[in-house]
Amino acid sequence: MKEKIDFTAYAQKITEALPRGILLNTNGDKFNAMVIGWGALGTVWGLPAFTVYVREHRYTKAQLDRTGEFTISIPLEKPDPKITKVCGQLSGKDVDKAAQAPLTLEEPAANSTPGVREYPLTLECKILYAQEQELSRIPEDIRAKMYPQDIDGSATGANKDPHTAYIGQIVDAYIIR
């Protein structure tokens, strides 16, 4: 069962959960969930929005580019360490994260990307805009820390590549009960 919510009433819970790890879900070739610790909840062009940042060589990026949508799943309590490990360290290109974590997928309401019962606070989003970050425009201290250029961008855990920012209009919000 889905309990519809006004996501703004949960804004503090969402922003507090984000740096501890929430799930960015995609559903292109197959379902995939990736742990994210960066994002922004707000309003863009008068629309409720959640912005996610995904690096160039991630399987998730190809899925986002193909489908134009995503779902955010947020734990109401602490993140599950096994979910964090599977969805944060393995590539969905190589493994079935839903099976390995394991995750219970919940049918979406407004798009085609499921939510995750274990992380029940759910935002379904339609991508409005995507833009690759320009590293030269990022302050030097942040660029040096977050985008070191001495690591191959395709390596597991690599952080050389810039992110693409995806602004997603929140088209539905609920808690999976």
Side-chain angles (χ1 to χ4, degrees):
M1 180 180 101
K2 296 178 186 74
E3 176 189 331
K4 297 277 188 185
I5 60 166
D6 173 359
F7 72 89
T8 62
Y10 291 86
Q12 183 172 348
K13 181 168 269 312
I14 294 167
T15 56
E16 288 173 354
L18 186 58
R20 292 191 305 265
I22 65 175
L23 297 179
L24 164 58
N25 308 314
T26 59
N27 197 29
D29 298 330
K30 62 180 178 178
F31 176 83
N32 183 58
M34 180 176 92
V35 173
I36 61 171
W38 299 0
L41 178 67
T43 304
V44 179
W45 302 302
L47 300 170
F50 196 92
T51 303
V52 296
Y53 302 86
V54 181
R55 292 188 194 269
E56 180 65 33
H57 289 93
R58 300 299 188 252
Y59 177 68
T60 299
K61 183 179 185 315
Q63 299 254 92
L64 290 168
D65 290 342
R66 186 177 311 102
T67 65
E69 67 178 35
F70 60 89
T71 297
I72 298 294
S73 294
I74 303 133
L76 291 175
E77 302 298 326
K78 293 180 182 177
D80 180 304
K82 184 169 184 182
I83 291 172
T84 298
K85 182 175 182 179
V86 170
C87 298
Q89 295 179 1
L90 303 177
S91 173
K93 179 177 65 174
D94 303 323
V95 300
D96 178 347
K97 291 184 185 180
Q100 285 204 8
L103 304 174
T104 308
L105 304 184
E106 182 75 22
E107 281 297 313
N111 70 22
S112 64
T113 303
V116 173
R117 182 173 297 277
E118 291 77 11
Y119 284 27
L121 180 51
T122 307
L123 306 175
E124 293 186 25
C125 301
K126 174 185 162 194
I127 296 173
L128 296 172
Y129 182 76
Q131 177 69 49
E132 184 177 316
Q133 294 175 320
E134 294 179 42
L135 288 180
S136 64
R137 300 191 70 179
I138 297 172
E140 177 57 38
D141 60 327
I142 295 172
R143 190 169 62 234
K145 179 180 178 185
M146 301 304 223
Y147 303 94
Q149 296 300 296
D150 60 347
I151 301 169
D152 177 10
S154 62
T156 300
N159 55 7
K160 173 182 180 176
D161 298 331
H163 289 83
T164 296
Y166 293 90
I167 300 172
Q169 176 185 356
I170 299 170
V171 294
D172 209 344
Y174 49 87
I175 295 177
I176 299 168
R177 301 282 185 198

